[in-house]
Structure formats: structure tokens, C-alpha cells
Amino acid sequence: QKEVEQNSGPLSVPEGAIASLNCTYSDRGSQSFFWYRQYSGKSPELIMSIYSNGDKEDGRFTAQLNKASQYVSLLIRDSQPSDSATYLCAVRTGGGADGLTFGKGTHLIIQP
Amino acid sequence: DARVTQTPRHKVTEMGQEVTMRCQPILGHNTVFWYRQTMMQGLELLAYFRNRAPLDDSGMPKDRFSAEMPDATLATLKIQPSEPRDSAVYFCASGPRTANTEAFFGQGTRLTVV
């Protein structure tokens, strides 16, 4: 059974600091990895995707992937109060054939 | 404005009634997913389609749930009969033709079964 694990939080980070969100997955065949942000009462919104080992940067966001350790993380630099949300890690096994398996999310709070 | 459209946004119904939720995927997307979100279970994949063909509905209670794609612009999720434990937010998402790409979510249908 495919599992995606995240610390539920809440994770409290002061404004301007770096927020670090972590995710582990059980299926070694996983090939695609995504981070979604979900505000309360809203739908998940894609913020990052990563497919190969290493780092991928997009503005204030950096996704990190380590397939050997089955670990993916999201760093948010210069955290803003508007970054307060639940961050969902999602994993797809391969070939685009499977639906995304989601973790239960980490609730992030940025303290002004 | 490319987005996934779901209707209705909210639905309150009595136990035993039939519920139908609709989804219009982003034009040109060939993969459609149905997810259910609850506080306890998080986001669970119920079913998904590629080119209108069902590929996996193993996450769906077969006795009461059914999912279809009558055409490329419409996906439906039906619950009959509904039960209080079906209360959740149901999301539809679609993805483009290329493999290993992301899924884009609609705004969801919040279902309450009383």
C-alpha cells in the first residue's frame, strides 16, 4: 500500500524565517512528486513539482528530492503571513498511470 | 480562464437520497480524478479516468458510488443511497496529456448527509 507521511503540525515559523516541510513515501517506484498548498475551505493549489534528485527552486520555494532516502521536502524562504496554510505532499508512482497519493498535510503558521 | 469547474458547490441531503456531483475538466486535459477529503482521512483517491475510460476505481465503495464520463467535458460522481459517513468535500481534478504531470483541482463540492 502506497503511503505518504507528513508531520501534521502545526509548524509555527516567525515571519521572514525559512519554513521547512518534510515528507516521506513508501513506494520506491514513485517518480513524480508535488507540493500543494491548501488554504482553509479552499481547494489544493499546486506550487511545486519535482521529478529528479536534487533541488528545484521557484521564487521563494525550493523543493528537494532524495529518492534513495524516499524523502521530499519544501523550503519556503522569507516566510510571509500569507504562506500560512496546509501543505500537502503528493506522490505518483510512474508512467502517469496512477492517481496522486497525498499525505495528510502539514499545517504551517507564519507568525507576524 | 482554464480551470476545473464543479457543481454544486454545496449539497445538503437526507440519508438515503441520491447525490450527483458534476465536473467539467480543463479543456484539453485527458485525465480526470475524483478525490474525497475528510479531516480524518485527508485526500483519498476514489477513481480516475483517462480519455474517458475508467482506469482505477478501487478507492470507491462500489455498492453505492459510481463514476462516469459521458463525454470529454463532463465527469459525474453519483452516490446512491447516500449515508452520513459520505459527508465530505469531493474534489475533481484534471491533468494534461503528458505523463507524470500535475493535477489541477476544482473548487470542490461540500456534501452533508443528514
Side-chain angles (χ1 to χ4, degrees), chain A residues 20-25 33 53 64-74:
Chain A
S20 178
L21 304 162
N22 304 315
C23 170
T24 59
Y25 58 94
F33 307 87
N53 281 329
Q64 300 175 316
L65 175 61
N66 184 326
K67 289 186 178 180
S69 300
Q70 295 176 241
Y71 177 93
V72 58
S73 65
L74 179 70

Side-chain angles (χ1 to χ4, degrees), chain A residues 8 10-11 21 36-40 45 76 80-88 105-110:
Chain A
S8 62
L11 173 65
L21 304 162
Y36 285 79
R37 177 176 63 199
Q38 187 174 25
Y39 293 114
S40 180
E45 172 193 11
I76 306 174
Q80 303 297 310
S82 59
D83 294 327
S84 298
T86 296
Y87 288 80
L88 302 166
T106 298
H107 182 41
L108 176 66
I109 299 171
I110 306 300

Side-chain angles (χ1 to χ4, degrees), chain A residues 34-106:
Chain A
F34 308 91
W35 283 99
Y36 285 79
R37 177 176 63 199
Q38 187 174 25
Y39 293 114
S40 180
K42 302 296 185 181
S43 59
E45 172 193 11
L46 179 73
I47 53 173
M48 289 285 289
S49 59
I50 188 167
Y51 305 103
S52 54
N53 281 329
D55 295 359
K56 179 181 177 181
E57 187 175 316
D58 184 1
R60 295 186 297 112
F61 298 97
T62 299
Q64 300 175 316
L65 175 61
N66 184 326
K67 289 186 178 180
S69 300
Q70 295 176 241
Y71 177 93
V72 58
S73 65
L74 179 70
L75 301 177
I76 306 174
R77 290 181 300 281
D78 188 23
S79 297
Q80 303 297 310
S82 59
D83 294 327
S84 298
T86 296
Y87 288 80
L88 302 166
C89 174
V91 174
R92 174 179 284 134
T93 298
D98 295 337
L100 298 175
T101 300
F102 282 83
K104 292 187 178 179
T106 298

Side-chain angles (χ1 to χ4, degrees), chain B residues 34 49 60-62 64-68 76-80:
Chain B
W34 282 105
F49 296 78
M60 213 161 60
K62 300 291 193 305
R64 300 183 299 108
F65 284 60
S66 61
E68 296 180 344
T76 63
L77 179 66
K78 187 176 297 186
I79 308 174
Q80 168 63 23

Side-chain angles (χ1 to χ4, degrees), chain B:
Chain B
D1 184 17
R3 59 179 178 175
V4 177
T5 303
Q6 290 187 246
T7 57
R9 294 289 309 280
H10 303 273
K11 176 72 175 179
V12 179
T13 191
E14 291 184 348
M15 182 174 61
Q17 297 298 304
E18 177 179 299
V19 175
T20 298
M21 290 168 271
R22 294 177 173 80
C23 168
Q24 179 177 354
I26 294 172
L27 186 64
H29 283 189
N30 72 332
T31 308
V32 175
F33 306 89
W34 282 105
Y35 283 90
R36 174 172 64 184
Q37 187 174 39
T38 61
M39 288 293 293
M40 289 297 296
Q41 300 299 326
L43 269 167
E44 303 173 279
L45 178 65
L46 297 177
Y48 71 97
F49 296 78
R50 174 159 291 131
N51 297 320
R52 296 176 55 200
L55 290 190
D56 185 359
D57 61 1
S58 60
M60 213 161 60
K62 300 291 193 305
D63 57 337
R64 300 183 299 108
F65 284 60
S66 61
E68 296 180 344
M69 275 202 80
D71 62 59
T73 65
L74 177 64
T76 63
L77 179 66
K78 187 176 297 186
I79 308 174
Q80 168 63 23
S82 57
E83 297 180 2
R85 60 179 168 154
D86 300 329
S87 297
V89 180
Y90 291 81
F91 287 106
C92 175
S94 71
R97 293 180 178 276
T98 309
N100 289 331
T101 55
E102 49 282 291
F104 298 90
F105 282 75
Q107 294 176 298
T109 294
R110 182 174 295 275
L111 173 66
T112 303
V113 183
V114 298

